[in-house]
Amino acid sequence: MPGSLAVVFSVLFGLTAVYYLLRCAALWSGPMPGQDRAVELAHLLMSLAMIAMAWAWGGPGARWLLVAVFGLFAAVFLARAASGGAAVSTDRTTRMMFSYHAVAMAAMTWMVAAMPLLGHDHFADSSGVGHHHGGSGDARVVVGSVAAAQFWAVVVTVVFAVVLAACAVAWVVAAARPRAAVVVRAGSAMTEASTETALTRHAVQDHRGSWWHALMSVGMAGMLLAMV
Amino acid sequence: MTLQDTELGGPSGTGSDEDADPRESQARARRGDLTGLRPLLLRLHFYAGVFVGPFVLIAAVTGLLYTVSPQLEHSVHAHELTVPVGAQRIPLAEQVSIAQQALPEGTLTEVRPALEPDSTTRVTFDTPDVAPDYQRTVFVDPYSGEIRGTLETFGEWLPVRAWIDELHRTLHLGNLGRVYSELAASWLWVLALSGLVIWTVRRRRKRRVRRVLLPEVRSRGRGRLRSWHAAVGMWALGGLLLLSATGLTWSQFAGANVTQLRAALQWSTPAVSTELPAAARSGGTSGADQGDTAERLLGIARDSGMGGPVAIRPPEEKGGAWVVQQVQRHWPTQQDAVAIDPASGTIVEQIRFADWPLAAKLARWGVDTHMGLLFGVVNQIMLVALALALICMVVWGYRMWWLRRPTQGGLATTLGSGTRPSRGAVLTVALLALAVGMFLPVLGVSVLAFLLLDTLLLTPRRIHRELPAPGDTTKTKVNDQPSS
């Protein structure tokens, strides 16, 4: 992959990083109903990790750190999906939401862990490489093939990419739904007036967030495909 | 009672940050400015204190031991370091030759001629039978030529000080152990500065300066402990920042970044080059000639005005220049260096300490202060006081945490979790943590760990507590929260 694609990924995940940083700040300064800090934090960390991976930043310990962090998130989201979510609702949407995040985190964990299997092992020997701005593009994760990719690893990677691409389509469909319908549906969930207002506000926010979920999914699918 | 008083328990020290007025904190959160920084700093100080405290404590205890290592070294290795004062010294060349005969398999790396009347000459060699970064030093009586001993040395440290040094830096656990000291050094400045802000921004109507700088001896319980913890921290602040900054320069991960930064800003310690012009290169000096060369070049360096204790170093590769460098690390620092062509005796390069960049001088002084070398015994006493202060502050911190625990049992809640930081404060701290975390990787990783702990463990509990269940109209706290 040419360096220009690394720039594209950096811009894409730079945008998502800024968005989710703002979301995290909003959540930490006062929780919104139904919002989960873990979800927003996971998105922020994923965005930053993607930029780092695109430019091969990170020392030898970075891979295992990322595998541990995203593996932990995957396990937490899986547990929440199984239990119907830790927040207000136990409906199907909540389960689907946590299931999606568990899959995304698993894909992220796989992406980091499977690099050597796919012929990219920049974490093993690239400490500080990314700081040499004048260097060639060889340091980038997608260029520096050091070994032949294993077939089964390629298959798993492609499967993750396809699943994420499908998720992206689903998010776009969700985001394209008329906003009024979303608001009415959310508002009818509660009878207490002021809570209804807060939930309505949250529903609009969530509606907007669908576009960002779609963007993240597309970016991740792109990164996975760029590795094979 | 003000919010700040309430958060820290007020003058009586009986309250809790959990008691804070939620309406005030929510209003602050909406404002989006930095007025909500304090609860965030409280939380940061709490997490760092609880989780990094043990590492800081170990660093302080081993550092305390390190402060007395010069005296310990002189006591344990008195035989190697000192000699009876004689009438006439033998030539340096002869002393070096005697040492070389004692270690024929070694490669000469440094000669430190005896300076004091009762001190020995140190002749250091690279030998294959020592640990990495260690060398073997032969101590020669400059009067009789008697070998007083041969020791495994780490730089200029003799075994006892090298052992304590290793304990302080790595706990004798190798590179893995270096992470402990890096963790302590990475967080020490954060703890010190966050503590400073937390303690000084409290609103006090009376005797503000006194109550910031002196412990509240009339208070009881947690309030009294906190005032001691904070007042001692205020007095130790400058020293703690110095220890943290200089400690980071030796660290494994951050140290590499510090070195890169210093090089980029041209703050690196200047060093003379041992490269000689092609025309001036000779075949180098043989082992037998090295003593003569060392003595001759020492004379040239002395003639050029280089006084005090010096180290004479042959080039690492044949055909290069020898270096004679001052090695006085106590005040006034003497670190002049000259590179001399061994064949012609010409000084090819000279660097005076006075000409070092200010940042390089400050780094030298900072490191030597950290090691207790710059101001001798006064420096050592200062470090002892700092180490004791750190030990007390960590112990007081844990004691305060214990006193905050719920009376029904269990652990205390996170300090600062009862009030909401403003959005601007969260953003500021997040961006700072990101930038600093990239420069100080161990700090960055530990911040991430705190964040995960806070998010994955505390959030679900809080959501259950704060958000209304479907159909539950009794919990309306959520309505007052701002939306994004």
Side-chain angles (χ1 to χ4, degrees):
Chain A
M1 183 177 72
S4 56
L5 202 49
V7 173
V8 170
F9 280 130
S10 299
V11 171
L12 190 154
F13 288 112
L15 284 172
T16 57
V18 170
Y19 174 75
Y20 285 109
L21 178 64
L22 292 171
R23 294 274 293 166
C24 282
L27 276 174
W28 255 264
S29 58
M32 293 168 289
Q35 298 298 299
D36 194 320
R37 289 183 184 185
V39 170
E40 308 300 331
L41 180 64
H43 283 132
L44 174 61
L45 294 178
M46 279 169 70
S47 303
L48 295 174
M50 287 293 196
I51 296 171
M53 285 165 68
W55 295 100
W57 289 338
R63 176 194 294 139
W64 300 115
L65 174 72
L66 293 179
V67 166
V69 169
F70 293 116
L72 177 68
F73 271 118
V76 167
F77 290 142
L78 196 63
R80 290 189 185 175
S83 66
V88 290
S89 172
T90 57
D91 64 14
R92 188 166 163 269
T93 311
T94 308
R95 283 179 190 275
M96 290 295 288
M97 175 73 101
F98 280 118
S99 300
Y100 160 74
H101 284 110
V103 169
M105 288 298 136
M108 190 72 197
T109 310
W110 169 257
M111 194 188 299
V112 181
M115 275 183 176
L117 299 172
L118 295 168
H120 309 287
D121 200 12
H122 76 270
F123 284 130
D125 57 2
S126 70
S127 54
V129 165
H131 297 294
H132 299 294
H133 299 296
S136 69
D138 292 348
R140 289 181 205 108
V141 56
V142 285
V143 177
S145 293
V146 293
Q150 304 226 1
F151 178 72
W152 67 270
V154 173
V155 171
V156 175
T157 306
V158 171
V159 167
F160 267 123
V162 170
V163 170
L164 284 167
C167 290
V169 172
W171 282 117
V172 170
V173 170
R177 271 178 16 210
R179 183 175 297 183
V182 178
V183 172
V184 168
R185 203 177 138 214
S188 63
M190 296 277 177
T191 52
E192 204 271 320
S194 50
T195 304
E196 185 179 315
T197 307
L199 274 180
T200 305
R201 207 183 294 138
H202 157 56
V204 172
Q205 181 67 47
D206 220 31
H207 188 253
R208 194 187 308 150
S210 297
W211 288 110
W212 291 96
H213 278 113
L215 199 59
M216 285 288 293
S217 302
V218 166
M220 283 186 71
M223 276 287 272
L224 283 164
L225 289 177
M227 285 173 65
V228 296
Chain B
M1 187 176 283
T2 65
L3 176 65
Q4 279 74 10
D5 280 338
T6 310
E7 279 175 4
L8 283 171
S12 63
T14 55
S16 158
D17 65 301
E18 302 297 320
D19 306 329
D21 181 357
R23 278 173 300 183
E24 185 171 342
S25 68
Q26 285 154 13
R28 185 174 50 215
R30 283 196 196 95
R31 284 201 294 271
D33 56 21
L34 292 183
T35 52
L37 197 61
R38 195 165 179 280
L40 211 55
L41 289 181
L42 264 171
R43 205 147 165 182
L44 187 71
H45 195 81
F46 171 83
Y47 273 126
V50 168
F51 293 106
V52 185
F55 300 101
V56 174
L57 187 64
I58 293 169
V61 171
T62 55
L64 185 62
L65 187 62
Y66 189 90
T67 57
V68 294
S69 62
Q71 283 77 12
L72 213 55
E73 185 178 74
H74 272 88
S75 169
V76 173
H77 301 297
H79 181 73
E80 288 84 1
L81 291 170
T82 55
V83 290
V85 180
Q88 184 73 36
R89 288 190 176 191
I90 61 175
L92 181 65
E94 195 175 330
Q95 296 176 51
V96 173
S97 176
I98 290 167
Q100 284 176 318
Q101 285 167 26
L103 271 182
E105 75 281 11
T107 306
L108 181 71
T109 58
E110 186 180 277
V111 178
R112 292 196 179 200
L115 190 71
E116 301 299 326
D118 65 343
S119 59
T120 51
T121 293
R122 299 185 188 198
V123 187
T124 304
F125 298 90
D126 271 338
T127 57
D129 58 339
V130 293
D133 299 329
Y134 279 73
Q135 295 172 308
R136 207 168 278 286
T137 298
V138 179
F139 296 82
V140 183
D141 183 338
Y143 302 101
S144 66
E146 177 200 355
I147 292 177
R148 304 283 289 179
T150 301
L151 298 174
E152 200 174 323
T153 49
F154 177 66
E156 59 185 290
W157 300 157
L158 274 49
V160 66
R161 197 180 330 193
W163 189 88
I164 296 171
D165 187 297
E166 188 82 16
L167 180 73
H168 184 55
R169 286 185 300 118
T170 71
L171 298 177
H172 291 273
L173 295 173
N175 276 340
L176 184 68
R178 289 181 74 182
V179 177
Y180 116 81
S181 54
E182 181 160 357
L183 194 62
S186 297
W187 277 101
L188 189 56
W189 67 274
V190 180
L191 283 165
L193 290 180
S194 58
L196 170 77
V197 175
I198 290 165
W199 190 240
T200 52
V201 299
R202 290 204 312 167
R203 292 181 209 150
R204 295 180 179 83
R205 293 186 182 86
K206 296 176 182 176
R207 293 182 294 181
R208 291 180 64 158
V209 176
R210 188 186 177 284
R211 290 184 64 190
V212 165
L213 292 175
L214 296 177
E216 294 163 10
V217 288
R218 289 181 186 171
S219 297
R220 293 197 175 278
R222 195 159 62 88
R224 182 174 177 163
L225 273 179
R226 187 175 49 240
S227 74
W228 273 99
H229 175 93
V232 169
M234 292 295 294
W235 287 100
L237 181 71
L240 298 182
L241 293 179
L242 177 84
L243 292 182
S244 177
T246 49
L248 282 172
T249 62
W250 290 301
S251 61
Q252 194 173 358
F253 303 106
N257 291 337
V258 171
T259 304
Q260 278 186 0
L261 179 71
R262 287 183 64 185
L265 297 172
Q266 297 186 322
W267 287 356
S268 298
T269 301
V272 289
S273 168
T274 57
E275 286 284 316
L276 284 175
R281 276 183 204 156
S282 62
T285 47
S286 68
D289 298 334
Q290 282 182 319
D292 289 329
T293 307
E295 184 166 357
R296 187 163 48 86
L297 300 188
L298 175 62
I300 293 168
R302 294 285 189 215
D303 290 343
S304 75
M306 188 176 282
V310 295
I312 307 158
R313 300 188 185 109
E316 288 180 5
E317 292 177 9
K318 283 187 175 180
W322 283 54
V323 173
V324 182
Q325 181 171 16
Q326 291 179 318
V327 289
Q328 180 167 304
R329 296 173 73 172
H330 64 75
W331 189 267
T333 304
Q334 293 180 1
Q335 293 285 319
D336 294 356
V338 288
I340 306 172
D341 179 354
S344 65
T346 311
I347 293 177
V348 292
E349 191 179 359
Q350 183 163 20
I351 293 177
R352 302 272 181 203
F353 181 69
D355 299 329
W356 281 23
L358 179 62
K361 283 183 186 172
L362 290 174
R364 172 86 270 163
W365 289 327
V367 164
D368 290 343
T369 306
H370 187 134
M371 298 171 95
L373 301 172
L374 192 62
F375 302 113
V377 176
V378 174
N379 201 154
Q380 288 176 273
I381 292 170
M382 192 192 80
L383 288 174
V384 167
L386 268 179
L388 290 175
L390 255 182
I391 292 168
C392 289
M393 281 192 287
V394 172
V395 172
W396 285 330
Y398 278 112
R399 178 69 183 146
M400 282 190 285
W401 185 37
W402 180 251
L403 291 176
R404 282 181 69 241
R405 77 192 189 285
T407 50
Q408 291 85 0
L411 295 173
T413 53
T414 311
L415 199 64
S417 62
T419 47
R420 304 233 177 277
S422 69
R423 199 173 302 181
V426 176
L427 267 179
T428 305
V429 171
L431 290 172
L432 270 175
L434 196 61
V436 176
M438 286 173 73
F439 189 71
L440 309 177
V442 172
L443 183 125
V445 171
S446 42
V447 166
L448 183 60
F450 296 159
L451 210 51
L452 292 177
L453 185 75
D454 194 63
T455 305
L456 298 179
L457 282 185
L458 298 180
T459 305
R461 280 191 296 167
R462 189 175 296 121
I463 285 174
H464 276 307
R465 200 173 63 229
E466 294 179 354
L467 297 179
D472 179 3
T473 55
T474 56
K475 296 177 185 176
T476 54
K477 186 177 179 180
V478 67
N479 302 330
D480 294 322
Q481 303 300 328
S483 68
S484 63

